[in-house]
Amino acid sequence: MRRIVVAALLAAVATPVAAAPDYQAQIQTDWDRDLGKLWDQFHRNPELSFREVKTAAAIAAELRKIPGMQVTEKVGQTGIVGVLKNGAGPTVLIRADMDGLPVQEKSGLPNASTVRQVGVDGVEAPVMHACGHDTHIVGLIATARRLAAMKDRWQGTIVFIGQPAEERIGGAKAMIADGLFTRFPKPDYALAYHVDASMEAGKVAASETIQYSSSDSIDIVVPGVGAHGASPNTGKDPVYMGSQIVIALQGLISRERAPLLPGVITVGSFHSGLKHNIITDEAKLQVTVRANDEGTRAQLVNGIKRVAEGVGVMNGMPKDKMPKVTVIEGTPTTINNTPLARRLNAVMVNTLGTANVVPFEQMGMGAEDFAYFVQPDTGVKGYYFAVGGTPKAALDAARNGGPAVASHHSPLFKITPEPVVVTGATAMTAAALELLKPGAAE
């Protein structure tokens, strides 16, 4: 299902195109001088979730160069918190995620990563910034520099976050558990952006409601009884049972989920056995579940547990050898605060121009643990926006039958970092100035 949010944009269509803000040119100057080199450093040296030690140290070092910035490291394991105070006023949190992915880079870029690293799961893997988090952290530094240089234009407190482990949807939760909202000034507002390879570079989009889906990562262990492959009747085949689970899970989507409520179940990993003619004694499945509302989310997760147990019963497994379903990590939907989104979408139009602020359209069911910062019980109002990362020529060529634009998490993923950082930091600076201007009120 697609959701298109246009109210704020339609209201702003008649707004004259404003001149680019002075700080946009300064952000561009910073990129030309040293931020481009910093992005190159981050792209060549990605680190896995909760293993972002060198990345965090580099972010902390850059933030410490800013006068008045108080920096704390190792918040939520590897997270960074920088606090910049400028008198009485609201508190705004600005967050950038910083982890890479266990993907071998095949982008063809001259600075492609060749790094390998052992993750928290104990597995060594190639590592790549296959989701653009390297542009997010450089944009955070660019934004921090500009806001620190413009203290005459705002009042209040800004909390800059280098967040670990977004890809494992655990970093935001870990930082909150480690006292993000108690050890540091609690925000009234939280802001973040994500590069979008499917959008034209230099353009932004933000929803007035749902921005990203929920996500749950689920492990399923299917016990079996080992046997010779030539005598399957003497054992219980976990590959066969696991395959039944894979097929039956799609029945939850096609026959139990309400057809107008989005939902996805994907089995991303299925491992079992080591030899052609051996029926092994265990299969392991890794599953991701996506939804746009908590009711559907719970229905799908509970359905997976029921299907797995049902397959065990159907195959005559004893109670102590039933498939085991474990939800290992998850995040709720990321919902933008509607009044705040309308207000800041208008700011985007005034700052970047009407042509560069496009209607938000949910094209997939990606998820974000930024949701934890802005859950209803926190009282924090959230605004999350997308920044385009692919040149128009490449998008046009793909639409006309040319090379496809690689998706996020693909080994071929690549975006043009300069317009992402400059546009993202400009937009983020504008949003913060709006929320922190003297006398600002929603």
Side-chain angles (χ1 to χ4, degrees), residues 100-394:
L101 284 156
V103 175
Q104 183 174 357
E105 183 163 3
K106 299 177 182 179
S107 66
L109 294 172
N111 62 346
S113 167
T114 58
V115 168
R116 297 184 65 87
Q117 188 180 32
V118 177
V120 294
D121 55 3
V123 176
E124 181 181 285
V127 191
M128 174 188 175
H129 269 302
C131 207
H133 295 185
D134 45 358
T135 63
H136 302 170
I137 50 183
V138 176
L140 180 78
I141 294 164
T143 302
R145 288 182 183 180
R146 286 307 100 215
L147 288 169
M150 297 189 295
K151 284 188 172 182
D152 58 325
R153 305 189 197 182
W154 61 273
Q155 292 180 355
T157 299
I158 309 176
V159 181
F160 297 94
I161 301 295
Q163 186 210 298
E166 186 278 332
E167 296 295 358
R168 294 188 66 92
I169 51 179
K173 197 173 183 179
M175 293 190 79
I176 291 172
D178 200 15
L180 179 63
F181 287 171
T182 55
R183 294 166 54 193
F184 307 95
K186 184 178 178 182
D188 300 291
Y189 308 98
L191 310 175
Y193 72 81
H194 204 297
V195 61
D196 186 344
S198 69
M199 278 176 56
E200 182 181 337
K203 297 187 183 298
V204 303
S207 172
E208 291 179 3
T209 53
I210 185 168
Q211 186 82 14
Y212 293 108
S213 303
S214 67
S215 174
D216 291 284
S217 296
I218 295 178
D219 287 350
I220 304 177
V221 177
V222 185
V225 177
H228 196 295
S231 304
N233 58 298
T234 64
K236 292 289 186 181
D237 188 350
V239 174
Y240 174 66
M241 288 186 282
S243 299
Q244 290 178 312
I245 291 173
V246 171
I247 298 301
L249 291 182
Q250 297 312 313
L252 298 175
I253 297 297
S254 66
R255 288 296 177 267
E256 296 192 17
R257 174 188 56 91
L260 297 182
L261 294 177
V264 167
I265 297 176
T266 295
V267 179
S269 174
F270 189 147
H271 289 280
S272 185
L274 296 171
K275 187 73 170 65
H276 302 75
N277 62 349
I278 297 175
I279 292 175
T280 186
D281 60 1
E282 185 178 84
K284 294 181 178 180
L285 285 67
Q286 293 180 313
V287 183
T288 186
V289 184
R290 308 298 171 111
N292 275 6
D293 65 273
E294 288 301 306
T296 303
R297 181 187 183 194
Q299 179 190 25
L300 295 179
V301 171
N302 291 334
I304 290 170
K305 296 176 182 178
R306 172 169 51 83
V307 164
E309 182 176 353
V311 167
V313 171
M314 182 174 64
N315 284 277
M317 298 299 292
K319 288 186 178 180
D320 63 344
K321 285 186 176 292
M322 284 292 175
K324 182 180 179 181
V325 177
T326 305
V327 180
I328 61 168
E329 54 198 13
T331 185
T333 51
T334 298
I335 308 290
N336 280 346
N337 178 270
T338 298
L340 179 63
R342 288 174 180 165
R343 177 182 174 189
L344 294 184
N345 278 347
V347 169
M348 297 297 141
V349 171
N350 290 333
T351 303
L352 302 174
T354 303
N356 291 320
V357 184
V358 298
F360 174 78
E361 193 170 5
Q362 188 182 17
M363 300 295 290
M365 299 196 74
E368 249 291 348
D369 71 347
F370 177 80
Y372 282 111
F373 296 130
V374 297
Q375 283 300 286
D377 61 354
T378 67
V380 180
K381 299 178 177 67
Y383 178 72
Y384 198 114
F385 61 99
V387 179
T390 300
K392 183 177 184 299

